[in-house]
């Protein structure tokens, strides 16, 4: 495996915290990241059956290529998205042989704007400033993900109802996948060290144990009520109609279960949010965003 410090030296580019660049340099962490994909094939219960998990790996934020190198070791093909022109050029030089063999593709651009390839799984050290936006671009693809986040963000992703960390992020993430925090990463594993600890989250796609007729409205409804998480659901539904798009929020309140309306958003399970969403679509006259 390529030495991460040597890669930084050859690239001649230091990580820039102002540009959200923190290069992962701990060999042990780098070696472990791809292993979190092992065994996921047997866990998947999707139709149609997904492609083999190591067939085409996607990395968002390639940096100087330390993780890219590990992914090439286990994957048949790898695509890297890198927004920094200098780093994209370095990756093309450093991994010219893999590119020549059609095993590596380097896409220069913003991961929020470029067309995503038909990847089989993603392993990425995400730019933390846009990690939420990138994650919710990846999750609907229904592919296994091993992603690195700020630890606080990761804790919110995996949080259970009734905990202080549980919120819109928890419900929205767990709607798409079974998620777990598999490892915490100290600041010293990066160059330059970030100001926060990091964590690795593994997301295994699966269908939720509930149905919603309109996924976009479900996510918008969850977003709306969590803007008033200190209010009861009764008041939150009424007060956030301008966000959820409900024309008649009072009709939803009148039709909903009283016990559910007396709760606050932080204790409502994803399945209960789905129940309210179905009701809101039936009687709340939601508008299209």
């Amino acid at each position: 495996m390529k030495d991460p410090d040597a890669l930084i030296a050859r690239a001649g580019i230091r990580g820039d915290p102002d540009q959200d660049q923190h290069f992962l340099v701990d060999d042990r962490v780098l070696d472990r990241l791809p292993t979190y994909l092992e065994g996921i094939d047997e866990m998947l219960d999707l139709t149609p059956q997904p492609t083999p998990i190591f067939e085409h790996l996607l990395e968002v934020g390639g940096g100087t290529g330390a993780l890219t190198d590990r992914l090439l070791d286990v994957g048949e093909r790898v695509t890297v998205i890198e927004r920094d022109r200098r780093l994209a050029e370095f990756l093309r030089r450093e991994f010219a042989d893999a590119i020549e063999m059609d095993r590596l593709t380097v896409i220069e651009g913003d991961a929020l704007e470029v067309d995503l390839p038909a990847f089989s799984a993603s392993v990425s050290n995400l730019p933390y400033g846009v990690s939420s936006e990138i994650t919710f671009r990846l999750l609907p693809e229904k592919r296994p993900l091993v992603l690195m986040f700020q630890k606080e963000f990761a804790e919110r992703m995996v949080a259970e109802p009734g905990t202080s960390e549980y919120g819109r992020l928890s419900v929205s993430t767990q709607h798409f996948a079974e998620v777990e925090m598999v490892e915490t990463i100290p600041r010293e594993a990066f160059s330059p060290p970030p100001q926060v600890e990091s964590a690795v989250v593994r997301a295994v796609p699966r269908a939720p144990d509930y149905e919603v007729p309109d996924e976009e409205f479900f996510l918008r409804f969850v977003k709306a009520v969590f803007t008033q998480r200190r209010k009861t659901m009764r008041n939150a539904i009424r007060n956030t109609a301008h966000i959820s798009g409900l024309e008649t929020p009072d009709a939803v309140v009148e039709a909903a279960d009283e016990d559910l309306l007396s709760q606050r958003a932080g204790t409502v399970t994803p399945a209960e949010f789905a129940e309210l969403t179905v009701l809101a679509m039936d009687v709340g006259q939601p508008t299209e965003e």
Side-chain angles (χ1 to χ4, degrees), residues 43-48 139-143 171-179 203-212 215 218 270-271 274:
M43 300 168 63
L44 295 175
D45 184 20
L46 299 174
T47 304
L139 281 170
E141 297 293 323
K142 298 181 179 179
R143 295 292 183 265
V171 178
S172 301
T173 302
Q174 294 167 34
H175 171 73
F176 291 104
E178 187 76 32
V179 290
V204 180
R206 53 105 177 95
D209 57 1
Y210 54 80
E211 292 186 9
V212 290
E215 188 170 76
F218 169 76

Side-chain angles (χ1 to χ4, degrees), residues 81-287:
I81 300 175
E82 175 53 59
R83 67 181 181 183
D84 188 309
R85 176 185 55 80
R86 301 167 303 164
L87 289 171
E89 290 176 355
F90 172 73
L91 290 171
R92 294 188 183 103
R93 294 195 306 271
E94 184 70 24
F95 296 96
D97 289 345
I99 293 173
E100 179 68 23
M101 296 170 62
D102 200 28
R103 294 194 58 230
L104 175 66
T105 300
V106 178
I107 299 175
E108 181 183 331
D110 190 327
L112 297 176
E113 299 176 357
V114 301
D115 292 334
L116 296 179
F119 64 97
S120 58
S122 177
V123 183
S124 303
N125 172 24
L126 297 179
Y128 290 170
V130 290
S131 57
S132 177
E133 293 91 335
I134 293 174
T135 300
F136 283 100
R137 192 169 186 209
L138 296 176
L139 281 170
E141 297 293 323
K142 298 181 179 179
R143 295 292 183 265
L145 309 174
V146 175
L147 306 175
M148 195 175 301
F149 302 96
Q150 291 185 19
K151 184 182 177 184
E152 180 182 352
F153 187 90
E155 290 172 338
R156 288 162 51 206
M157 291 180 72
V158 305
E160 297 290 330
T163 62
S164 60
E165 294 84 7
Y166 182 75
R168 170 197 172 193
L169 178 63
S170 318
V171 178
S172 301
T173 302
Q174 294 167 34
H175 171 73
F176 291 104
E178 187 76 32
V179 290
E180 63 175 318
M181 195 164 67
V182 294
E183 182 174 357
T184 57
I185 310 296
R187 300 174 179 87
E188 296 74 28
F190 300 86
S191 175
Q195 295 184 343
V196 296
E197 283 191 304
S198 302
V200 180
V201 171
R202 177 171 60 185
V204 180
R206 53 105 177 95
D209 57 1
Y210 54 80
E211 292 186 9
V212 290
D214 186 325
E215 188 170 76
E216 182 179 345
F217 176 70
F218 169 76
L219 297 173
R220 191 167 77 239
F221 181 78
V222 170
K223 172 185 176 181
V225 296
F226 268 109
T227 64
Q228 296 205 349
R229 62 178 300 147
R230 297 184 183 278
K231 304 287 187 181
T232 63
M233 289 294 291
R234 176 185 293 101
N235 291 331
I237 291 171
R238 284 174 170 156
N239 296 344
T240 61
H242 61 291
I243 301 174
S244 64
L246 291 176
E247 290 284 350
T248 56
D250 285 339
V252 180
V253 170
E254 291 170 5
D257 179 79
E258 181 62 30
D259 289 340
L260 191 51
L261 291 175
S262 65
Q263 295 186 51
R264 288 170 173 76
T267 63
V268 177
T269 67
E272 289 172 328
F273 272 113
E275 176 187 332
L276 281 171
T277 298
V278 173
L279 182 62
M281 293 197 69
D282 285 343
V283 303
Q285 301 179 41
T287 58

Side-chain angles (χ1 to χ4, degrees), residues 1 4 24-36 70 183 185-186 188-189:
M1 296 294 98
L24 183 60
V25 293
D26 189 310
D27 288 288
R28 296 165 299 179
V29 177
L30 286 162
D31 291 344
R32 282 196 298 268
L33 288 178
T35 69
Y36 291 122
R70 272 72 178 174
E183 182 174 357
I185 310 296
E188 296 74 28

